[in-house]
């Protein structure tokens, strides 16, 4: 909720089973911290194994301004007029410039750490993504945020792989801007 102070408040922990090979191997506490956004905190990578189906919360809202769009265009070489020419885009199909789909997709990397934290790791890596879709364009000036749900978690050599379905929504929009299944690996 936007009215919360920057101080972190921890709500009552939930006891979740940690499953390996179809059997419960331990129980672990998972807490949710509240600041301006809610972040789900896992105390160790193995705790992700019991979190399938859990919603992780939402990131902060982020306004997409023309400067961000232009910088992305410069970084990628995609200077199509629907992104970088406000005058021409005003008469175009969206009524203004729009963010690149891949700019919107890349925000998952910003939003994921805001909604999910895994403690006691030596490293976490982006392993890839699946099922990327762009149901709605993001007009310049829009605010977007990410929400996530754990879709799957499994042990991999030396760590845990988790798939989080990240939905990047547009404030006041009927459809999300981007839906992506992100794949991350966390190592103790």
């Amino acid at each position: 909720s936007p009215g919360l102070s920057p101080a972190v408040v921890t709500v009552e922990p939930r006891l979740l089973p940690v499953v390996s090979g179809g059997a419960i191997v331990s129980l672990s506490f998972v807490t949710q911290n509240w600041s301006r956004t809610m972040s789900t905190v896992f105390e160790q990578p193995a705790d992700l194994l019991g979190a399938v189906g859990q919603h992780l919360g939402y990131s902060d809202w982020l306004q997409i301004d023309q400067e961000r769009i232009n910088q992305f265009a410069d970084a990628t070489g995609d200077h199509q007029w629907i992104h970088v020419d406000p005058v021409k885009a005003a008469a175009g199909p969206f009524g203004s410039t729009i963010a690149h789909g891949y700019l919107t997709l890349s925000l998952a990397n910003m939003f994921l750490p805001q909604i999910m934290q895994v403690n006691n790791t030596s490293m976490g890596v982006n392993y890839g993504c699946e099922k990327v879709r762009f149901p709605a364009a993001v007009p310049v000036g829009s605010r977007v945020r990410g929400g996530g749900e754990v879709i799957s978690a499994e042990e991999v050599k030396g760590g845990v792989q988790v798939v989080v379905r990240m939905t990047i929504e547009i404030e006041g929009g009927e459809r999300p801007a981007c839906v992506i299944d992100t794949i991350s690996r966390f190592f103790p």
Side-chain angles (χ1 to χ4, degrees):
S1 172
L4 293 176
S5 70
V8 174
V9 177
T10 302
V11 297
E12 184 175 322
R14 294 184 346 167
L15 192 60
L16 293 176
V18 176
V19 179
S20 177
I24 296 175
V25 294
S26 67
L27 297 174
S28 184
F29 283 100
V30 175
T31 59
Q32 291 186 320
N33 291 335
W34 295 81
S35 59
R36 287 182 27 221
T37 60
M38 181 175 66
S39 176
T40 301
V41 179
F42 297 93
E43 287 305 314
Q44 58 189 355
D47 294 349
L48 294 163
L49 298 170
V52 175
Q54 181 176 347
H55 195 273
L56 301 170
Y58 296 93
S59 71
D60 290 329
W61 288 103
L62 175 70
Q63 185 158 4
I64 303 300
D65 58 22
Q66 190 62 50
E67 180 181 4
R68 183 180 295 270
I69 294 171
N70 291 344
Q71 288 175 344
F72 191 84
D74 289 343
T76 62
D78 181 353
H79 291 94
Q80 187 177 176
W81 63 270
I82 61 173
H83 305 304
V84 299
D85 187 338
V87 174
K88 188 173 181 180
F94 302 105
S96 70
T97 56
I98 60 169
H100 303 73
Y102 283 107
L103 166 56
T104 306
L105 170 65
S106 71
L107 295 175
N109 199 51
M110 175 189 288
F111 295 150
L112 192 59
Q114 291 182 27
I115 65 172
M116 176 179 154
Q117 175 182 329
V118 182
N119 293 334
N120 298 304
T121 60
S122 61
M123 70 175 168
V125 295
N126 295 323
Y127 192 71
C129 58
E130 300 174 333
K131 300 180 185 177
V132 178
R133 299 291 181 266
F134 303 107
V138 178
V140 67
S142 297
R143 289 184 356 138
V144 297
R145 72 175 180 179
E149 177 183 352
V150 177
I151 300 302
S152 67
E154 63 183 336
E155 292 178 341
V156 293
K157 185 177 179 180
V160 174
Q161 178 172 293
V162 63
V163 177
V164 173
R165 177 158 299 142
M166 172 76 66
T167 301
I168 299 177
E169 60 186 43
I170 306 165
E171 187 175 41
E174 294 179 16
R175 296 178 304 167
C178 182
V179 180
I180 172 179
D181 289 355
T182 65
I183 307 168
S184 303
R185 289 187 172 184
F186 295 92
F187 300 90

